[in-house]
Amino acid sequence: MKIAMGNDHTGYSLKLEIADLARSLGHEIIDVGTHSSVSADYPVFGRLAAEKVLSGECERAILICGTGFGISLAANRMPGIRCANCSDTYTALLSRRHNNANALALGARVVGVELAKMIVEVWLNAEFEGGRHTDRLKMIDEDMQV
C-alpha cells in the first residue's frame, strides 16, 4: 500500500524509523516532509499528507509531531480524513476496525521508537469491520446533529 508520511521537526527522526519499518513490510512511502529537524509547522505537513490520501495517491497517512495531537487536528480538518492519534496498540487496532481511520498520528515525545513501531504495525494490518460501524461513520460524514 502507498502511505503518505508527514511530520514536523520534532517527528523527523521517528519518521525515519517508521518509514523503514513500513518499507520492510512491503509498503511504499510518499514522504511529504519535513526533511530535517529544523523547526517546521506541523499543520503544513499534516495537510500535505492528508491531501495525498484524499486524492487517492495514497491509501493511508502516518503523521508525526511532538504529541501527535496538533498534526491530527490539522489532518482532521479535511473532510474525508479520519486521523487517530494513538499512543497504544489497542487504540490503533480499534481506530481501524471500528472507525476505518485512514490516517495515524504519533507523538514523538510521547511514545518511544519501539512502541511506535508496534502501533504502526498493528494499525497497518488491521481491517475495517464494517457493519454497524459503517452506519456510525455515515453519521459523522453527514455531520449529524444529535
Side-chain angles (χ1 to χ4, degrees):
M1 134 181 23
K2 277 190 182 179
I3 302 167
M5 289 197 72
N7 59 283
D8 70 358
H9 57 285
T10 308
Y12 176 67
S13 62
L14 181 57
K15 174 188 69 178
L16 298 176
E17 296 278 347
I18 297 303
D20 285 346
L21 169 69
R23 285 185 193 102
S24 76
L25 297 172
H27 303 290
E28 181 181 346
I29 299 300
I30 306 298
D31 185 347
V32 301
T34 189
H35 304 290
S36 77
S37 57
V38 173
S39 185
D41 297 319
Y42 61 81
V44 171
F45 302 101
R47 185 183 244 344
L48 287 171
E51 287 172 348
K52 296 287 185 189
V53 173
L54 293 174
S55 74
E57 182 178 344
C58 294
E59 293 173 58
R60 297 193 204 164
I62 298 174
L63 312 171
I64 307 169
C65 70
T67 62
F69 187 69
I71 204 162
S72 72
L73 284 177
N76 279 323
R77 295 283 297 168
M78 302 185 70
I81 294 296
R82 293 173 304 282
C83 183
N85 182 13
C86 297
S87 57
D88 63 87
T89 56
Y90 186 69
T91 303
L93 177 69
L94 291 187
S95 77
R96 287 285 309 136
R97 285 187 179 172
H98 293 185
N99 308 114
N100 202 16
N102 54 10
L104 170 69
L106 298 169
R109 292 179 175 154
V110 177
V111 296
V113 172
E114 295 308 314
L115 177 55
K117 287 178 179 179
M118 286 186 245
I119 291 168
V120 167
E121 191 161 0
V122 164
W123 186 77
L124 288 174
N125 290 325
E127 295 295 329
F128 181 52
E129 292 179 354
R132 70 185 188 277
H133 305 297
T134 300
D135 294 336
R136 292 172 182 157
L137 289 179
K138 285 180 188 174
M139 289 179 183
I140 293 169
D141 289 342
E142 294 169 358
D143 199 22
M144 181 180 161
Q145 307 243 342
V146 287

